[in-house]
Amino acid sequence: MSSDNPLPIQIKATRDGFILVPDSKPSFPEIINYMEKRLEESHDFFYHSEMILDLRACPMQTDQILDLRRLLAERAGVKLVEVKMQE
């Protein structure tokens, strides 16, 4: 994607798992669609990993966080271990 059209959500690897950092521009359905594709393409890579959702740049509603958590768990057995909302 070009710089005019950033990724809906960045996935950053750490030694303990992954950090998900949503961009503030895309809609929530765009974020979900992107994650569905990434989890399908890289199922074995993400399988049973732990992730942190960093919402400091892009706040989400509680139901959206729960929807994303459910998607991660159902599609790849991913455990959402933390949601960062402030420094």
Side-chain angles (χ1 to χ4, degrees):
M1 295 190 157
S2 71
S3 60
D4 293 342
N5 197 7
L7 293 174
I9 190 165
Q10 291 182 33
I11 303 170
K12 300 178 179 183
T14 70
R15 69 175 184 199
D16 298 323
F18 299 93
I19 299 174
L20 301 176
V21 184
D23 189 88
S24 60
K25 292 180 181 87
S27 68
F28 183 70
E30 289 175 298
I31 291 170
I32 289 292
N33 288 337
Y34 178 78
M35 283 307 301
E36 286 174 341
K37 290 177 191 170
R38 287 299 309 265
L39 291 171
E40 184 177 315
E41 293 168 355
S42 306
H43 178 270
D44 292 342
F45 185 69
F46 294 120
Y47 188 67
H48 281 273
S49 62
E50 293 186 349
M51 292 190 179
I52 294 170
L53 180 59
D54 185 341
L55 298 178
R56 291 178 287 189
C58 178
M60 287 184 181
Q61 297 175 355
T62 302
D63 60 330
Q64 292 173 327
I65 296 168
L66 294 173
D67 286 347
L68 182 57
R69 179 177 162 249
R70 188 174 336 149
L71 172 70
L72 294 169
E74 290 175 359
R75 296 285 175 99
V78 171
K79 183 177 180 183
L80 189 60
V81 295
E82 182 180 350
V83 177
K84 291 185 178 185
M85 301 178 98
Q86 297 179 11
E87 278 294 330

